Amino acid sequence: MPTTDELKQRIESALPGAQAQVEDLTGGGDHFRAEVVSDRFTGLSRIEQHQLVYGVFGEEVGAAIHALSIKTSTP
Amino acid sequence: MESTEIREFLEQAIGENEVMLFLKGTPEQPACGFSMRTAGALNALGVRYAALDVLPDQRIRQELSGLSGWPTIPQLFVGGELIGGCDIVMEMYENGELAERLGVEMPEDEDIEPAPTQAEMPVSNGPIPLENRLNN
């Protein structure tokens, strides 16, 4: 079962320089919310920014990670 | 039904419906809070939209995510283009971008109610029940 720390580290290592805050919405280890700040988002549409974060987890989103709510911004 | 037929059906649904929502359950009876909020935003704006429940066949979701590149449900398409899932739709609803994109006025009461029941929904503005041809 993924933990908030694991998700945070995976986002930050996949998107160098990014800062992520991950919250377990239900305490059940499968519904998460991630707030990610990265300069990689500059010039991307919101949907492309979210796809970049979803891309870190591939097919785990919808499987082990039932739901991942995302908020993205640039520094 | 073959997976390729499902994908063709989904492409057709996205292409033919100006506002197309894929969700878990129906706009009247959403089976998930994210689907409920997304349908609720569209209902609050009073737009006509087509909706398809992805739950009857697991392959609907697989094929949909395959063609959209978006892993979760709900997914909202406008004019054939993916707008996003619940977070993006809610953010766009709240800042007025969604109303602008759909060419409607923001309602005066900005609080989003849970999806109203069909009886409360004006007939002309209700979701178009999309025939679910994926059921055999």
Side-chain angles (χ1 to χ4, degrees), chain A residues 25 31 33 46-47 50-51 54 58 61-62 66-71, chain B residues 24 34 61 68-72 82-84 87-88 91-92 95 97:
Chain A
L25 290 177
H31 286 67
R33 175 172 175 81
R46 188 160 31 213
I47 201 153
H50 286 219
Q51 275 169 330
Y54 278 136
V61 176
H66 288 189
L68 177 62
S69 172
I70 297 174
K71 185 172 172 63
Chain B
K24 291 181 180 174
F34 298 101
R61 187 174 166 168
S68 67
W70 195 257
T72 52
L82 177 65
I83 298 297
D87 293 329
I88 291 180
E91 194 180 328
M92 289 177 72
N95 68 19
E97 274 180 64

Side-chain angles (χ1 to χ4, degrees), chain B residues 57-117:
Chain B
D57 188 326
Q58 202 182 343
R59 293 173 304 170
I60 302 174
R61 187 174 166 168
Q62 288 165 357
E63 292 300 319
L64 180 63
S65 291
L67 70 88
S68 67
W70 195 257
T72 52
I73 303 295
Q75 296 184 25
L76 177 68
F77 290 78
V78 176
E81 189 187 333
L82 177 65
I83 298 297
C86 180
D87 293 329
I88 291 180
V89 170
M90 293 314 294
E91 194 180 328
M92 289 177 72
Y93 174 81
E94 281 159 17
N95 68 19
E97 274 180 64
L98 187 63
E100 194 180 330
R101 180 67 183 261
L102 296 170
V104 296
E105 296 289 322
M106 275 294 277
E108 285 177 22
D109 177 9
E110 292 187 16
D111 290 336
I112 294 197
E113 302 289 331
T117 63

Side-chain angles (χ1 to χ4, degrees), chain A residues 44-56:
Chain A
L44 299 182
S45 70
R46 188 160 31 213
I47 201 153
E48 289 166 336
Q49 296 175 6
H50 286 219
Q51 275 169 330
L52 210 53
V53 180
Y54 278 136
V56 174

